[in-house]
Amino acid sequence: YHTTKTLYHDTSLSCKMDQYDNFYNFTIILSQEYFIKGLTLYFSLKNQIENFHMWICCIDEVTFNLAQKMNLTNITLLKAAEIEDEGLLAVKGQRSLQEYCWTLKAPLCQHVLNHYNEVSQLFYCDSDLYFFSNPKPLLESWGQHSVFICRQRGTDDLEKIHGQYQAGLIGFKNEENSKKILNWWKEKCLERCSATYEPLYGTWGDQKYLDAIPHLFSNIKINEDPGVNSAPWNLVMKNRHSVLTNGDKVTIDGQDLIVYHFGSLLIINEDSYDLWKLEQLAFEPSIISNIYEPYIYQLKQTIKMVKKQVNSNSLSPFFSTVPTDYKAKNPLQTTRNNKKRLHHHE
């Protein structure tokens, strides 16, 4: 891996990019609680492709130091302090960790695009995404557009509060129109970025602002593929999709599942998970067996690797912070010999 103490114009990255027709650039934000999920996202990409680079922005020292120890390839580690300017530092103390990570998204994308001229396009991913197949269709559908956004495809009630588009997977080109949009989003999030819906302003987090982008700016790609950024809010809540496994591919309504967003999934401990912490949902058995069980198997592989690095059996700082008597709304218990898996990374 690289750290950004080296020269920004990383010629080894340019050389690597030159070897491929397509090259994928990703950036994610990691905190301790999301470390296992973020690493699992990284491995899901690495299982699919070699032609990518990922910038990982670590919110705390523990995360940064542990990520350094993991000897990951195709990554550049960043500390949040490298991105923080006066604007970010002014709001940092007033926001929860979740709200601050949301506020940091646009500045992180700006940082990568501004410091790495060789990067022509960049996907920001929430760290609880997972790639089930090759990301090539993302790049193909983006095409010549400036910005790539995905429809939420949620229920009307959900979209009224959380917006029509998903901020968990969003792409920006390294060009003027895209940078103008990215800067607009950054300024909006600095002004207001609350985890509670604010009807007076019509805002929720960093995400509701995306509703305005197709109206205010041009050349926006709106992706509506059911296999891209599939998630509980469009797959489970709507509950009318066919989810099957075809060979080593998972399909939704006959389309390959490319990337799934495991939003609001809690890792309570190594063997206990809450698939959706917000309310009880009707998870179809086909969704659990084809999507959730393989993902949880991968989380458990990552947990094994992290245990070796921290030299401890207790990974509680890396699990969800819940009360000891926590009752999962959508529980999934696993056993030590759970064999449900995709390509594993042991």
Side-chain angles (χ1 to χ4, degrees):
Y1 65 88
H2 315 279
T3 68
T4 48
K5 291 193 175 74
T6 56
L7 288 173
Y8 273 125
H9 293 289
D10 188 348
T11 50
S12 65
L13 180 56
S14 308
C15 294
K16 189 167 184 196
M17 286 179 171
D18 291 343
Q19 295 171 37
Y20 300 97
D21 293 337
N22 288 321
F23 197 86
Y24 301 85
N25 300 293
F26 297 92
T27 188
I28 68 171
I29 296 171
L30 272 197
S31 61
Q32 277 189 73
E33 194 176 307
Y34 278 82
F35 188 80
I36 288 159
K37 292 176 183 175
L39 265 194
T40 305
L41 162 62
Y42 160 82
F43 285 120
S44 77
L45 268 171
K46 204 151 170 29
N47 285 331
Q48 301 294 341
I49 54 172
E50 259 303 317
N51 49 325
F52 79 96
H53 196 80
M54 181 182 277
W55 284 262
I56 299 178
C57 176
C58 301
I59 287 293
D60 54 80
E61 285 294 322
V62 172
T63 302
F64 183 83
N65 294 336
L66 186 51
Q68 261 191 325
K69 273 189 184 175
M70 304 290 298
N71 287 326
L72 307 171
T73 56
N74 301 31
I75 71 153
T76 296
L77 291 178
L78 297 164
K79 292 184 178 184
E82 295 176 63
I83 292 143
E84 288 169 336
D85 58 10
E86 283 178 17
L88 279 166
L89 292 171
V91 300
K92 190 174 186 176
Q94 303 153 22
R95 299 191 177 173
S96 68
L97 178 60
Q98 182 186 40
E99 290 166 343
Y100 188 62
C101 288
W102 289 343
T103 310
L104 197 58
K105 246 183 237 186
L108 170 60
C109 292
Q110 281 182 324
H111 177 90
V112 175
L113 294 175
N114 290 339
H115 287 102
Y116 295 86
N117 294 332
E118 60 268 58
V119 171
S120 59
Q121 36 67 24
L122 177 70
F123 286 104
Y124 166 83
C125 295
D126 275 357
S127 48
D128 48 8
L129 293 177
Y130 186 92
F131 282 88
F132 280 79
S133 55
N134 193 303
K136 193 176 183 186
L138 301 188
L139 222 47
E140 288 174 343
S141 76
W142 191 352
Q144 300 304 307
H145 295 88
S146 298
V147 170
F148 175 97
I149 54 176
C150 299
R151 276 217 194 272
Q152 184 106 271
R153 308 191 303 277
T155 61
D156 291 345
D157 286 351
L158 182 129
E159 291 197 1
K160 188 180 168 194
I161 291 172
H162 298 285
Q164 298 171 55
Y165 305 104
Q166 239 303 312
L169 175 64
I170 187 165
F172 297 94
K173 291 272 175 73
N174 206 344
E175 44 102 309
E176 196 180 339
N177 185 48
S178 172
K179 285 183 166 183
K180 190 168 72 178
I181 296 166
L182 187 51
N183 200 58
W184 175 87
W185 191 35
K186 179 190 84 172
E187 294 299 330
K188 288 288 179 192
C189 293
L190 282 170
E191 201 179 303
R192 182 168 283 103
C193 189
S194 169
T196 47
Y197 175 56
E198 299 189 285
L200 180 64
Y201 305 104
T203 59
W204 181 79
D206 59 329
Q207 188 166 278
K208 196 83 160 58
Y209 296 120
L210 302 181
D211 283 11
I213 286 177
H215 302 289
L216 296 176
F217 302 97
S218 62
N219 205 25
I220 310 299
K221 171 63 191 178
I222 299 170
N223 186 291
E224 308 202 35
D225 181 338
V228 173
N229 223 359
S230 186
W233 47 87
N234 52 49
L235 191 64
V236 183
M237 289 180 184
K238 291 202 157 176
N239 226 343
R240 52 169 187 257
H241 299 278
S242 159
V243 178
L244 301 166
T245 299
N246 180 6
D248 63 349
K249 297 276 190 195
V250 179
T251 62
I252 297 175
D253 301 338
Q255 302 280 320
D256 284 356
L257 171 56
I258 295 159
V259 58
Y260 192 89
H261 192 160
F262 289 91
S264 292
L265 178 144
L266 297 186
I267 306 174
I268 299 163
N269 59 49
E270 203 172 332
D271 297 308
S272 302
Y273 300 81
D274 191 346
L275 303 186
W276 177 256
K277 68 178 181 182
L278 303 174
E279 66 202 305
Q280 206 170 356
L281 295 181
F283 280 84
E284 289 287 320
S286 65
I287 293 173
I288 291 180
S289 64
N290 292 310
I291 296 175
Y292 278 84
E293 285 179 355
Y295 176 63
I296 284 169
Y297 178 86
Q298 297 300 336
L299 290 176
K300 291 179 78 162
Q301 302 313 112
T302 304
I303 288 167
K304 280 184 196 168
M305 294 176 68
V306 174
K307 270 186 178 173
K308 282 181 192 163
Q309 288 297 337
V310 297
N311 225 348
S312 163
N313 270 331
S314 171
L315 289 189
S316 52
F318 300 96
F319 297 150
S320 302
T321 41
V322 292
T324 47
D325 59 350
Y326 179 78
K327 293 272 186 294
K329 294 188 172 67
N330 299 279
L332 188 82
Q333 290 291 125
T334 68
T335 56
R336 298 283 155 163
N337 60 354
N338 179 5
K339 290 283 184 283
K340 192 81 183 182
R341 60 180 179 262
L342 296 160
H343 309 289
H344 55 81
H345 54 258
E346 287 152 294

XYZ file of all heavy atoms in Angstrom, residues 49-104:
453
model
N -11.599 -8.064 -9.222
C -10.704 -7.379 -10.172
C -9.350 -7.071 -9.523
O -9.240 -6.987 -8.306
C -11.327 -6.044 -10.688
C -11.734 -5.119 -9.522
C -12.508 -6.306 -11.609
C -12.172 -3.730 -9.941
N -8.350 -6.865 -10.366
C -7.030 -6.397 -9.911
C -6.837 -4.923 -10.267
O -6.009 -4.238 -9.678
C -5.929 -7.232 -10.592
C -5.340 -8.325 -9.708
C -4.749 -7.791 -8.400
O -4.052 -6.756 -8.415
O -5.011 -8.400 -7.349
N -7.586 -4.460 -11.286
C -7.349 -3.126 -11.853
C -8.135 -2.043 -11.119
O -9.009 -1.387 -11.647
C -7.722 -3.119 -13.349
C -9.084 -3.718 -13.623
O -9.501 -4.663 -12.957
N -9.787 -3.186 -14.607
N -7.792 -1.913 -9.801
C -8.452 -0.858 -9.018
C -7.478 -0.300 -7.994
O -6.460 -0.915 -7.664
C -9.705 -1.410 -8.320
C -9.421 -2.205 -7.060
C -9.486 -1.609 -5.809
C -9.087 -3.555 -7.130
C -9.222 -2.339 -4.646
C -8.815 -4.296 -5.978
C -8.889 -3.675 -4.733
N -7.822 0.885 -7.503
C -7.094 1.467 -6.370
C -8.135 2.040 -5.418
O -9.175 2.531 -5.855
C -6.138 2.569 -6.828
C -5.114 2.903 -5.781
N -3.982 2.138 -5.580
C -5.065 3.889 -4.855
C -3.276 2.647 -4.576
N -3.922 3.711 -4.114
N -7.859 1.928 -4.126
C -8.812 2.414 -3.127
C -8.108 3.328 -2.126
O -7.072 2.960 -1.569
C -9.452 1.229 -2.393
C -10.481 1.645 -1.352
S -11.179 0.217 -0.466
C -12.456 -0.308 -1.613
N -8.668 4.510 -1.936
C -8.190 5.437 -0.905
C -9.056 5.227 0.327
O -10.284 5.371 0.274
C -8.296 6.885 -1.383
C -7.228 7.254 -2.367
C -6.055 7.910 -2.106
C -7.212 6.984 -3.780
N -5.313 8.050 -3.248
C -5.994 7.493 -4.294
C -8.088 6.348 -4.653
C -5.654 7.398 -5.649
C -7.756 6.246 -5.996
C -6.553 6.768 -6.486
N -8.417 4.857 1.431
C -9.148 4.592 2.675
C -8.846 5.715 3.655
O -7.707 5.898 4.073
C -8.738 3.229 3.282
C -9.070 2.092 2.301
C -9.426 3.009 4.620
C -8.662 0.705 2.788
N -9.882 6.466 4.000
C -9.727 7.567 4.954
C -10.084 7.056 6.344
O -11.222 6.661 6.602
C -10.644 8.725 4.562
S -10.587 10.071 5.754
N -9.093 7.042 7.239
C -9.284 6.515 8.595
C -9.619 7.654 9.553
O -8.893 8.642 9.632
C -8.023 5.795 9.062
S -7.575 4.416 7.982
N -10.710 7.464 10.272
C -11.207 8.508 11.172
C -10.404 8.562 12.467
O -10.303 9.596 13.098
C -12.704 8.239 11.475
C -13.543 8.567 10.239
C -13.223 9.009 12.655
C -13.583 10.026 9.877
N -9.845 7.428 12.894
C -9.130 7.407 14.183
C -7.795 6.672 14.026
O -7.586 5.951 13.059
C -10.003 6.732 15.254
C -10.471 5.350 14.810
O -9.668 4.403 14.916
O -11.613 5.211 14.331
N -6.933 6.869 14.994
C -5.581 6.287 14.958
C -5.604 4.756 14.982
O -4.813 4.104 14.315
C -4.747 6.785 16.158
C -4.273 8.222 16.034
C -3.264 8.439 14.905
O -2.410 7.553 14.680
O -3.340 9.491 14.242
N -6.505 4.178 15.779
C -6.580 2.714 15.891
C -6.837 2.114 14.509
O -6.177 1.160 14.087
C -7.702 2.294 16.886
C -7.918 0.781 16.847
C -7.358 2.740 18.296
N -7.792 2.711 13.802
C -8.142 2.231 12.465
C -6.966 2.374 11.507
O -6.633 1.450 10.764
C -9.371 3.015 11.938
O -10.438 2.834 12.871
C -9.816 2.544 10.582
N -6.312 3.536 11.543
C -5.180 3.790 10.646
C -4.043 2.802 10.919
O -3.503 2.177 9.999
C -4.677 5.229 10.821
C -3.557 5.594 9.880
C -3.819 6.011 8.580
C -2.225 5.503 10.289
C -2.781 6.332 7.699
C -1.185 5.825 9.423
C -1.467 6.250 8.126
N -3.693 2.633 12.194
C -2.564 1.755 12.543
C -2.847 0.297 12.200
O -1.974 -0.425 11.712
C -2.226 1.890 14.039
C -1.696 3.279 14.363
O -1.179 3.975 13.487
N -1.850 3.709 15.608
N -4.090 -0.123 12.435
C -4.446 -1.505 12.131
C -4.483 -1.728 10.617
O -3.991 -2.745 10.126
C -5.808 -1.843 12.765
C -6.262 -3.288 12.676
C -5.190 -4.266 13.155
C -7.551 -3.500 13.469
N -5.017 -0.763 9.881
C -5.047 -0.887 8.414
C -3.627 -0.978 7.860
O -3.358 -1.746 6.930
C -5.794 0.294 7.804
N -2.700 -0.220 8.463
C -1.288 -0.273 8.034
C -0.702 -1.672 8.235
O 0.033 -2.174 7.404
C -0.471 0.730 8.851
C -0.243 2.020 8.108
C 0.787 2.886 8.818
O 0.864 2.909 10.037
N 1.568 3.614 8.053
N -1.058 -2.281 9.352
C -0.539 -3.618 9.684
C -1.026 -4.695 8.723
O -0.415 -5.756 8.611
C -1.028 -4.023 11.086
C -0.170 -3.575 12.236
C -0.731 -4.273 13.452
C -0.067 -3.899 14.748
N -0.754 -4.543 15.881
N -2.173 -4.459 8.084
C -2.810 -5.517 7.289
C -2.084 -5.780 5.965
O -2.381 -6.747 5.280
C -4.274 -5.171 6.973
C -5.151 -4.875 8.165
S -5.567 -6.266 9.243
C -6.453 -7.358 8.199
N -1.149 -4.893 5.598
C -0.396 -5.065 4.339
C -1.306 -5.280 3.132
O -1.140 -6.217 2.361
C 0.583 -6.248 4.446
C 1.749 -5.889 5.343
O 2.178 -4.738 5.373
N 2.231 -6.845 6.100
N -2.292 -4.408 2.983
C -3.236 -4.510 1.867
C -2.586 -3.947 0.611
O -1.809 -2.993 0.688
C -4.513 -3.729 2.197
C -5.176 -4.075 3.529
C -6.287 -3.085 3.847
C -5.718 -5.496 3.523
N -2.923 -4.523 -0.531
C -2.399 -3.986 -1.792
C -3.476 -3.111 -2.441
O -4.644 -3.175 -2.055
C -2.030 -5.137 -2.752
O -3.185 -5.962 -2.925
C -0.891 -5.974 -2.193
N -3.078 -2.315 -3.426
C -4.005 -1.467 -4.191
C -4.662 -0.386 -3.326
O -5.757 0.066 -3.640
C -5.143 -2.281 -4.840
C -4.661 -3.351 -5.785
O -3.593 -3.910 -5.591
N -5.421 -3.644 -6.809
N -4.035 -0.003 -2.225
C -4.666 1.036 -1.402
C -3.696 2.161 -1.045
O -2.477 1.986 -1.037
C -5.290 0.486 -0.103
C -4.223 0.048 0.902
C -6.279 -0.632 -0.345
C -4.698 0.126 2.322
N -4.291 3.310 -0.758
C -3.590 4.434 -0.144
C -4.340 4.771 1.136
O -5.566 4.940 1.109
C -3.585 5.670 -1.068
O -2.857 5.364 -2.255
C -2.936 6.869 -0.392
N -3.620 4.796 2.240
C -4.247 5.150 3.516
C -4.145 6.649 3.750
O -3.082 7.249 3.537
C -3.547 4.423 4.668
C -3.741 2.913 4.748
C -2.937 2.345 5.908
C -5.210 2.555 4.893
N -5.241 7.226 4.192
C -5.275 8.650 4.530
C -5.745 8.800 5.967
O -6.568 8.007 6.437
C -6.276 9.384 3.636
C -6.034 9.427 2.134
C -7.310 9.841 1.417
C -4.916 10.403 1.810
N -5.249 9.825 6.644
C -5.806 10.185 7.947
C -6.789 11.334 7.712
O -6.552 12.184 6.853
C -4.698 10.655 8.891
C -3.755 9.546 9.297
C -2.741 10.043 10.312
C -1.824 8.897 10.756
N -0.878 9.312 11.801
N -7.862 11.344 8.485
C -8.858 12.417 8.335
C -8.185 13.791 8.434
O -8.566 14.735 7.727
C -9.941 12.273 9.391
N -7.153 13.880 9.277
C -6.450 15.171 9.479
C -5.851 15.717 8.185
O -5.681 16.932 8.033
C -5.359 15.008 10.539
N -5.541 14.825 7.232
C -4.973 15.282 5.949
C -6.013 15.995 5.092
O -5.667 16.720 4.158
C -4.409 14.084 5.165
C -3.228 13.406 5.844
C -2.762 12.174 5.080
O -2.315 12.333 3.931
O -2.861 11.060 5.630
N -7.266 15.770 5.398
C -8.352 16.348 4.596
C -9.000 17.520 5.317
O -9.534 18.427 4.702
C -9.392 15.239 4.290
C -8.758 14.217 3.342
C -10.668 15.779 3.665
C -9.163 12.827 3.601
N -8.927 17.484 6.644
C -9.642 18.490 7.442
C -9.085 19.889 7.225
O -7.882 20.116 7.349
C -9.565 18.113 8.923
C -10.430 16.907 9.240
C -10.207 16.321 10.625
O -9.112 16.517 11.195
O -11.122 15.655 11.136
N -9.999 20.810 6.918
C -9.637 22.229 6.811
C -10.447 22.989 7.868
O -11.142 22.382 8.692
C -9.924 22.750 5.394
C -11.386 22.575 4.991
O -12.220 22.228 5.864
O -11.715 22.792 3.807
N -10.390 24.306 7.824
C -11.092 25.111 8.847
C -12.588 24.821 8.860
O -13.211 24.738 9.918
C -10.870 26.607 8.580
C -9.497 27.080 9.004
C -9.273 28.563 8.679
O -10.282 29.263 8.434
O -8.110 28.992 8.666
N -13.164 24.684 7.661
C -14.605 24.437 7.566
C -15.016 23.157 8.263
O -15.998 23.121 9.015
N -14.260 22.087 8.027
C -14.573 20.795 8.653
C -14.329 20.842 10.155
O -15.152 20.361 10.944
C -13.732 19.679 8.022
C -14.247 19.133 6.689
C -13.173 18.303 6.002
C -15.524 18.300 6.872
N -13.210 21.413 10.546
C -12.879 21.455 11.976
C -13.894 22.290 12.754
O -14.169 22.010 13.919
C -11.452 21.982 12.183
C -10.354 21.036 11.669
C -8.987 21.711 11.699
C -10.317 19.735 12.477
N -14.474 23.301 12.093
C -15.463 24.161 12.762
C -16.734 23.395 13.117
O -17.399 23.703 14.107
C -15.804 25.358 11.869
N -17.088 22.364 12.312
C -18.334 21.627 12.602
C -18.078 20.302 13.324
O -19.004 19.692 13.854
C -19.147 21.349 11.298
C -19.522 22.651 10.612
C -18.402 20.419 10.341
N -16.835 19.880 13.385
C -16.503 18.538 13.899
C -17.063 18.285 15.300
O -17.664 17.241 15.562
C -14.986 18.340 13.893
C -14.554 16.910 14.174
C -13.049 16.737 14.023
C -12.643 15.280 14.158
N -11.205 15.081 13.913
N -16.891 19.246 16.180
C -17.322 19.068 17.572
C -18.829 19.095 17.751
O -19.353 18.689 18.799
N -19.549 19.579 16.734
C -21.011 19.719 16.872
C -21.759 18.533 16.261
O -22.974 18.490 16.302
C -21.479 20.991 16.149
C -20.806 22.261 16.640
C -20.772 23.327 15.548
O -21.561 23.296 14.613
N -19.849 24.263 15.668
N -21.047 17.600 15.661
C -21.708 16.511 14.937
C -21.345 15.145 15.501
O -20.237 14.963 16.004
C -21.351 16.579 13.444
C -21.829 17.894 12.862
C -21.786 18.018 11.372
N -22.353 19.316 10.998
C -22.361 19.823 9.795
N -21.838 19.145 8.786
N -22.905 21.002 9.553
N -22.284 14.222 15.404
C -21.990 12.839 15.807
C -20.956 12.272 14.828
O -20.733 12.840 13.755
C -23.267 11.992 15.744
O -23.677 11.832 14.387
N -20.373 11.142 15.173
C -19.381 10.520 14.289
C -20.012 10.220 12.920
O -19.407 10.479 11.885
C -18.840 9.221 14.916
C -17.829 8.437 14.068
C -16.584 9.269 13.765
C -17.434 7.134 14.760
N -21.234 9.703 12.936
C -21.922 9.396 11.679
C -22.114 10.666 10.842
O -21.817 10.687 9.646
C -23.285 8.765 11.986
C -24.062 8.356 10.747
C -25.468 7.876 11.086
O -26.135 8.436 11.951
N -25.904 6.833 10.408
N -22.593 11.725 11.486
C -22.831 12.988 10.770
C -21.522 13.565 10.233
O -21.468 14.102 9.124
C -23.508 13.999 11.697
C -24.942 13.639 12.032
C -25.508 14.442 13.198
O -24.726 15.045 13.962
O -26.743 14.459 13.354
N -20.456 13.428 11.029
C -19.168 13.978 10.592
C -18.607 13.187 9.406
O -18.071 13.764 8.464
C -18.160 13.991 11.744
C -16.896 14.734 11.369
C -16.942 16.093 11.047
C -15.669 14.076 11.295
C -15.793 16.780 10.660
C -14.518 14.752 10.921
C -14.591 16.100 10.598
O -13.455 16.778 10.213
N -18.785 11.864 9.436
C -18.327 11.043 8.294
C -19.086 11.425 7.027
O -18.504 11.486 5.941
C -18.498 9.559 8.594
S -17.303 8.945 9.801
N -20.375 11.703 7.162
C -21.157 12.156 6.007
C -20.625 13.490 5.484
O -20.521 13.701 4.285
C -22.629 12.305 6.384
C -23.361 11.022 6.616
C -22.968 9.765 6.230
C -24.614 10.862 7.284
N -23.910 8.836 6.624
C -24.928 9.477 7.273
C -25.510 11.748 7.901
C -26.103 8.966 7.841
C -26.672 11.234 8.465
C -26.959 9.870 8.433
N -20.293 14.377 6.412
C -19.794 15.710 6.036
C -18.439 15.603 5.338
O -18.082 16.429 4.497
C -19.656 16.603 7.297
O -20.877 16.536 8.048
C -19.383 18.057 6.944
N -17.694 14.567 5.702
C -16.335 14.373 5.185
C -16.302 13.795 3.767
O -15.300 13.879 3.065
C -15.605 13.419 6.143
C -14.092 13.307 6.126
C -13.436 14.660 6.380
C -13.643 12.315 7.202
